[in-house]
Amino acid sequence: MEVIRIEGGHPITGEVTVEGAKNSALKLMAATILAPGVTTLTNVPNISDVHVMGKVLKKLGATIKVADEHTLVIDTSQVDRWETPYNLVAQMRASTAVLGPLIGRFGKATVAMPGGCNIGDRKIDMHILGLEALGVRFDMEHGDICATVPDGLIGTSVTLEFASVGATENLMMAAVRANGTTTIDNAAREPEIVDLANMLNEMGAKVHGAGTPVINIEGVSELHPVTHEVVGDRIEAGTFIAMAGICGGPVTVKGFEPDHLGLVLKKYEMMGLTIERGNRQVTVSRTQPLRPVDIQTLPFPGFPTDMQAQTMCALSLAEGSCIVTENVFENRFMFASELSRMGGHVVIEGHHAIVHGVDGFSGATVKAPDLRGGAALVMAGLVADGVTTVYDIGHIDRGYERFVEKLQGLGAHVERVDVPKIG
Ligand code: UD1
């Protein structure tokens, strides 16, 4: 099995370019179902979650050609099945993103009910309630959710209880084919939602207001395939920014819109980083000690939960204490206990974490608890005393392409190593 081994204490400097956003690419891939024919997606990250979504589409009857490392040519003209089995949903919860497009195109879908995952229960009740309002009937059978649309999809008004990214996306992808207009109130506003709306509109849909809390969707009778470029990955960018922040930099991070990290950049500046914003890039450096800053995660434009672990890692090295509040997912503090093996001092109280700054980390053997927590452990290893070995790196490969190679390009002493399984 492979692990990531990091020798701490080496500076990182130079330039790194991020890939297309995982969270956008997965939904755009699902959306190709809505437009029978050949859709080309460019700037697709070569990561394992994208490979799983590829399997989901193939299972439905699509063919996928990898035109080059970051370009997928997806032919959905022969899609003739509508079932997504548990083994795929269990590998990746975002497989449920095919629910809306299958309902939109075929008026039926069978998707395995996702179970819990290591960052919490992650229910899909809001997806279901919203789709029911559009006329979808759901039956639970043998662990699967079976959707049918007995009287066609009818546009309506839906108010989401929470600005859920996945629910907003599934509703948008069904509503584009509904009869009449659908309004989604309290919609998620993430840049990935805007990217999906842009692609749907290029396909001939009429989606207005994406990026605001109210999205209006006028249903159309058909959608056509397009070529679309995936938006840059703001979270991959944020991860490298956080790394540059603890190491000192300067590091230039390219390939994303700095506006998509508005509050993150602001908070990192409050922590003492110097950040120069440019055209689809930022340059990060730090010459003063890290300062403690409270953060709370919230839906966009709030502080992203996907930057919580990396930021907790940085705050652990600040001069003083602060509070990190997780409002989006239950149980997303597992990173803190792994970090304690490296000398971190974080006290968890419900959905608050009290982060006490320490003088430094000491290299240790740790396990990636999830995708972002895994990246944050590698980050801690960059400045730790001695060697850090991160196990369970499959989590990291889900969302970061050539993570080790990119860090090596910045001068980090990091490598993937084959080791015997522990335990
Ligand atoms: C997406 C992102 C994930 C990011 C999250 C929040 C993808 C593949 N994943 O996840 O990286 O951290 O947005 O920015 O795009 N909830 C319910 N019922 C529902 C739907 C959600 O209770 O029907 C809860 C979830 O359990 C969670 C919260 O709402 O506590 C937010 O979930 P949501 O915004 O839907 O996140 P995802 O789309 O799963």
Side-chain angles (χ1 to χ4, degrees):
M1 73 186 277
E2 279 194 317
V3 299
I4 295 178
R5 184 172 289 162
I6 312 111
E7 191 184 286
H10 300 280
I12 62 167
T13 56
E15 286 183 9
V16 62
T17 302
V18 300
E19 311 301 324
K22 165 178 95 70
N23 288 352
S24 196
L26 298 174
K27 320 309 166 58
L28 300 177
M29 289 173 76
T32 62
I33 294 170
L34 284 162
V38 182
T39 290
T40 302
L41 293 177
T42 62
N43 202 30
V44 180
N46 185 4
I47 51 176
S48 66
D49 270 11
V50 162
H51 303 163
V52 176
M53 187 54 94
K55 284 188 200 164
V56 170
L57 294 181
K58 285 181 186 163
K59 189 100 200 153
L60 299 169
T63 58
I64 303 181
K65 217 171 72 199
V66 183
D68 66 50
E69 201 191 356
H70 296 120
T71 304
L72 296 183
V73 179
I74 304 174
D75 185 348
T76 57
S77 51
Q78 304 301 318
V79 169
D80 58 357
R81 294 183 289 270
W82 30 87
E83 285 172 23
T84 302
Y86 187 54
N87 67 332
L88 292 175
V89 177
Q91 272 181 60
M92 185 183 73
R93 296 178 49 86
S95 310
T96 51
V98 295
L99 191 58
L102 285 172
I103 290 169
R105 175 156 163 199
F106 298 108
K108 53 184 160 186
T110 299
V111 175
M113 182 76 186
C117 79
N118 46 2
I119 60 171
D121 202 12
R122 299 185 82 174
K123 296 189 276 289
I124 58 163
D125 54 324
M126 281 188 262
H127 304 227
I128 290 177
L129 277 173
L131 290 166
E132 276 177 346
L134 281 166
V136 182
R137 208 183 110 181
F138 287 98
D139 295 298
M140 277 291 298
E141 281 169 20
H142 313 296
D144 292 337
I145 312 164
C146 305
T148 49
V149 187
D151 304 310
L153 287 170
I154 314 285
T156 186
S157 255
V158 177
T159 301
L160 294 176
E161 194 180 322
F162 182 89
S164 154
V165 172
T168 303
E169 290 164 338
N170 259 328
L171 278 170
M172 272 166 60
M173 290 192 278
V176 286
R177 291 295 314 280
N179 229 324
T181 300
T182 300
T183 301
I184 309 174
D185 203 351
N186 197 22
R189 292 185 264 170
E190 271 68 2
E192 294 76 26
I193 300 276
V194 177
D195 200 21
L196 175 60
N198 287 343
M199 186 169 100
L200 292 170
N201 286 340
E202 289 152 18
M203 288 173 156
K206 294 182 178 169
V207 181
H208 307 284
T212 77
V214 182
I215 301 179
N216 282 300
I217 305 144
E218 235 178 280
V220 296
S221 56
E222 59 173 21
L223 295 172
H224 56 82
V226 291
T227 295
H228 182 89
E229 180 183 342
V230 180
V231 68
D233 196 325
R234 65 195 165 104
I235 305 299
E236 185 189 0
T239 304
F240 286 116
I241 290 166
M243 287 174 161
I246 59 165
C247 295
V251 171
T252 299
V253 185
K254 298 181 158 183
F256 78 108
E257 295 297 336
D259 284 353
H260 293 171
L261 278 181
L263 188 58
V264 173
L265 299 184
K266 195 113 233 112
K267 289 281 182 178
Y268 275 87
E269 282 172 333
M270 289 165 71
M271 285 162 66
L273 276 59
T274 302
I275 303 178
E276 277 171 48
R277 294 158 178 77
N279 179 20
R280 301 199 73 223
Q281 67 172 52
V282 296
T283 300
V284 182
S285 56
R286 181 176 61 85
T287 50
Q288 50 183 309
L290 281 163
R291 290 191 290 264
V293 171
D294 292 341
I295 64 160
Q296 55 166 325
T297 65
L298 281 170
F300 191 86
F303 196 94
T305 175
D306 288 351
M307 278 301 297
Q308 186 251 99
Q310 304 89 312
T311 307
M312 183 184 282
C313 176
L315 291 170
S316 291
L317 296 172
E319 287 187 337
S321 302
C322 57
I323 297 181
V324 172
T325 303
E326 174 58 57
N327 292 311
V328 179
F329 289 112
E330 48 180 308
N331 199 19
R332 206 179 192 179
F333 283 139
M334 288 95 63
F335 161 72
S337 45
E338 285 302 303
L339 191 67
S340 71
R341 292 182 46 74
M342 300 179 69
H345 184 192
V346 179
V347 180
I348 308 291
E349 293 282 352
H351 67 129
H352 301 290
I354 301 136
V355 183
H356 298 292
V358 295
D359 289 338
F361 298 136
S362 88
T365 295
V366 288
K367 276 188 183 180
D370 54 34
L371 167 58
R372 307 303 169 186
L377 288 169
V378 174
M379 171 176 164
L382 295 175
V383 291
D385 181 20
V387 172
T388 298
T389 307
V390 182
Y391 280 73
D392 288 354
I393 61 172
H395 288 298
I396 298 174
D397 293 335
R398 284 186 41 217
Y400 291 92
E401 178 180 327
R402 291 179 291 115
F403 194 46
V404 164
E405 290 81 350
K406 287 185 184 185
L407 285 169
Q408 286 169 341
L410 292 171
H413 288 208
V414 52
E415 56 183 350
R416 290 174 85 106
V417 190
D418 241 325
V419 295
K421 243 181 162 159
I422 39 171

